[in-house]
Amino acid sequence: MTSPFRASADTPADPLDALAERLGGIAYGGDYNPEQWPSEVWQQDVRLMREAGVNLVTLGVFSWSRLEPRPGVHDWDLLDTVLDLLHENGIAVDLATPTAAPPPWFTRAHPASLPQNASGTRLAHGSRQAFCPSSPDYARAADAVVTALAQRYATHPAVVLWHVHNEWGNHNALCYCDTSAAAFRDWLRRRYTTLDRVNDVWGTDFWGQRYGDWEEIGPPRETTAFRNPGLELDYRRFSSDALLDRHRAESALLRDLAPGIPLTTNLLGTLEKKVDGHAFARHCDIVSVDHYLVAADPGNHVDLALNADLARGMAGGRPWLLMEHSTSAVNWQPVNVPKAPGEMRRNSLTHLARGADGILFFQWRQSRAGAEKWHSAMLPHGGTDTRTWAEVTALGAELASLAEVRGTRVRADVALLFDWHAWWALELDARPSERLRHLDTVRDWYGALWDLGITCDLVAPDADLTPYRAVVAPSLYLVSDSDADALHTFVRGGGHAVFGPFSGAVDAHDRVRTGGHPGAFRDLLGLVVDEYLPLREGESALLSDGSRAGLWTERIEARGCTARLRFADGPDGGPARGGPAATRHSYGAGAAWYAGAALPARSLRDLLDAVCREAGAAPAAAVPAGVEAVRRSAGDRAYLFLVNHTDQEATVPLEGHTRLDGTALPGGASVPPGGVVVLREQAAPGREADRR
Ligand code: GAL
């Protein structure tokens, strides 16, 4: 795989290594917004940061209106003072470009730069990210402030990392204004060259939509009935690319004006459907992500693990930074429940277990005003005499004691394919079932692997698959020809690949692959799907293992595959009664597996267990249910993280492990309820050497 990291003379060979050396260990800190507080508070801030073990803060994320109070007029007093103060106190800075919050004067002067929604309404100023990604006025103003910032602080000793923008596309990814329309047409011309090709890939002869002039093409604004799905899919690609262009433009300025300082941007993982996270990650020196738990979800720790594994996948297996999470409650869910005692530590160490080399929060000091004043922070409204503060200082000390773990890697035997393009396509209008949702399926499949204790990297379908024994593709409705070819090659060479329902049905343009479903994988799987048979709410189909599939079934005709699971005979078996529900097909030196149903948890676990066993992918350790075991290693150093998500003490029989202080563990480790232990492993003979 080509490394997502830029290798150039400007940045150190491994930017995260260099950063960690500078920080003296694992990064710890959060967003610091001193502009919200009088200057007297800043001294107290840095004193308390030191007390908490903070070594890195993200500064200036939304500070544009302070830094440039009038067009072209800069006021650096605040940043000058705070950067010096932080530096004097040994706290390094991840300096943000402030472009996620254009100032009021900017939008007043350029009202056409405000984004427009699909029904033609211009959104007003007064929140954040209120700009059209294609606005030339925004681009000019953003480039100017980034240039000024980089010129001023390129050599400031506190600045160790650039934080480009903030969560690209979180609020404004899809804009439907005339400027976006023109930029979309340019994007189409570059991608397809001729209008004939556009007509072809979008299938515009359907409903007489054939275009005769580029100017006839516009964004997928609100229409009388279904819009053209090819156009909608390409509009999502264009919109993601428009923001990526902004990311690249800011990055180019920073690289040029401040060579040697690596850059990152805080990606949103599965929190954000609208931008292609893999594409942005390829343009970062260090990958960082934000993750927030859905408090009402009892399985939210599995979503946390999923997103951590996605961060690692986006980082090409290297360590990454958790740029934001919360110490306790957020303020944007319907009911914002604080984290339970110990939960913040458990969350943080789980991210660490899965490859994070930095644990940061939104934000350092809880705001007293503004839209996020009820969002938790490292230093709460109540100050230092609070439970949160006690946990924050304890975590800082613990991370310092875990410094030796940084730089080690999580090595997964299994790749789980996660693709924004397949997500976009599956959830366009007019599908066999609106109930088959991309993220739901991915979560179900990831959850089954989590239950089995199998560590996996979430990677793009075009990732290098050679390091893996098995590839899991839960929801790959759309797949390009080249990615489908790579999967054939992987299996032919001895790998195992398992696909979820409706995978491989369409090409990269959302055109059905005809000749029998799923067109991309028919031969690989040794079967043909005669019909996709979605189920209504409340319906289910009995399976031969006694469980029931809801949501989705398929009528599968075996053409070389063997059925591992069948729909029951008789009416209880649903519309595909008697037919195969899950299959295995030997192909070359490997095997391809298929689930032609939305399998319930138990059946899915059994299927994935069989795939992993045959592929030789094993859990990091044998642990009781509800306990997570993940290994990080480098060379002959290895660490085992055990995370107990149950309310019972867990005993894990182990040999050859010690605590980090060297004390022995006779008979194994015990992990307190809701607790985490980190163990050092003796070099196990035969443990796989670094594969990447
Ligand atoms: C993030 C954002 C932060 C803050 C946080 C609250 O999406 O980057 O600025 O708003 O959410 O959870």
Side-chain angles (χ1 to χ4, degrees), residues 25 189 212 566 626 629:
R189 279 195 197 91
R566 306 190 76 88

Side-chain angles (χ1 to χ4, degrees), residues 31 61-62 128 166-167 170 266 268 290 292 324 330-332 362 372 375:
D31 280 24
V61 179
F62 300 110
R128 59 180 174 181
N166 189 70
E167 294 185 340
N170 188 2
N266 48 342
L268 277 152
D290 298 347
Y292 289 96
E324 286 181 26
V330 299
N331 70 321
W332 43 264
F362 175 83
E372 294 186 319
H375 191 291

Side-chain angles (χ1 to χ4, degrees), residues 224-237:
T224 46
F226 297 130
R227 289 164 289 266
N228 181 295
L231 184 155
E232 284 205 81
L233 178 60
D234 270 345
Y235 204 71
R236 286 195 171 267
R237 290 177 169 141

